[in-house]
Amino acid sequence: MNVYGEEAAPEPPTEAPTEPPIVQTEVASTIIPTLPPCTYPVPIENVAVGKSATQSSIKKGSDETADKAVDGTKATCSTTKKEYEASWVVDLGEPKDIYEIAIYTDQDKPHLVKPGVVRVGNDVNFDNNPQCGMQILGSMAKQHPVIIRCGCETPMRGRYVSVRLADKDRSLRMCEVEVRAG
């Protein structure tokens, strides 16, 4: 009770709520924040291998077509020509519960996947599907692979997974894209 005969307000908690720690990896004097690991409610697997993929263009004089990013090997890459908002999409054939996307880049040219936006949905049109995770920016592109989380406990559901460079006139190059679904 206070001096006015009223009940006193409860004491505020003495400890701040705890959040998962952010793990940091050091790469050539650049600190890259990485997300803490997810615990998925179901086993996840790559559902993109061998699926139909397309891209906005093909680098002139190369055979680096869209299907090279879902052929199951990181030794081949898909590459677009230098263009505004270069893009790539894989059709999974049917909607899947997608937890994360892993993008393996050419380690000599990781900048060719940034500033990338990943979207997941049931519309073949990139702009009509919601964004999965964070935009690929800065030193995030140096991670190998670049992991884009669509949800730890609650996945995004979609048939199409798209990657597009945002507001850039550049080539998009990816050596393997794993769509990890449960």
Side-chain angles (χ1 to χ4, degrees):
M1 293 245 185
N2 64 17
V3 293
Y4 302 106
E6 302 167 339
E7 285 192 33
E11 291 289 321
T14 56
E15 294 181 21
T18 59
E19 294 184 16
I22 294 198
V23 180
Q24 294 186 345
T25 306
E26 191 165 336
V27 175
S29 78
T30 300
I31 302 231
I32 303 171
T34 55
L35 298 171
C38 277
T39 302
Y40 300 110
V42 296
I44 60 173
E45 63 180 333
N46 181 11
V47 295
V49 175
K51 299 296 184 189
S52 175
T54 56
Q55 61 193 38
S56 54
S57 65
I58 300 170
K59 182 180 176 184
K60 187 176 180 179
S62 81
D63 66 346
E64 296 177 336
T65 54
D67 61 305
K68 301 288 196 235
V70 289
D71 61 2
T73 176
K74 296 163 191 73
T76 60
C77 302
S78 75
T79 308
T80 67
K81 66 182 181 181
K82 183 178 179 182
E83 62 186 325
Y84 183 72
E85 294 190 338
S87 62
W88 176 94
V89 62
V90 63
D91 179 354
L92 301 174
E94 63 184 6
K96 302 282 187 183
D97 289 333
I98 300 168
Y99 289 91
E100 67 184 26
I101 313 297
I103 301 173
Y104 292 84
T105 62
D106 184 336
Q107 289 188 325
D108 295 337
K109 300 176 184 175
H111 64 281
L112 294 181
V113 74
K114 71 176 186 181
V117 175
V118 177
R119 292 186 183 261
V120 172
N122 291 318
D123 197 312
V124 71
N125 184 334
F126 176 87
D127 293 315
N128 293 338
N129 293 324
Q131 183 172 326
C132 163
M134 301 176 2
Q135 186 174 3
I136 303 167
L137 294 172
S139 59
M140 182 180 181
K142 293 180 183 177
Q143 295 177 11
H144 198 70
V146 175
I147 301 289
I148 306 296
R149 290 216 182 117
C150 300
C152 284
E153 289 85 26
T154 305
M156 291 182 78
R157 188 155 179 83
R159 174 179 173 173
Y160 299 98
V161 175
S162 307
V163 180
R164 181 166 74 185
L165 297 180
D167 300 323
K168 281 289 184 181
D169 192 19
R170 164 182 294 172
S171 293
L172 173 62
R173 181 176 173 86
M174 301 180 298
C175 298
E176 194 68 18
V177 177
E178 294 180 359
V179 178
R180 298 173 179 171

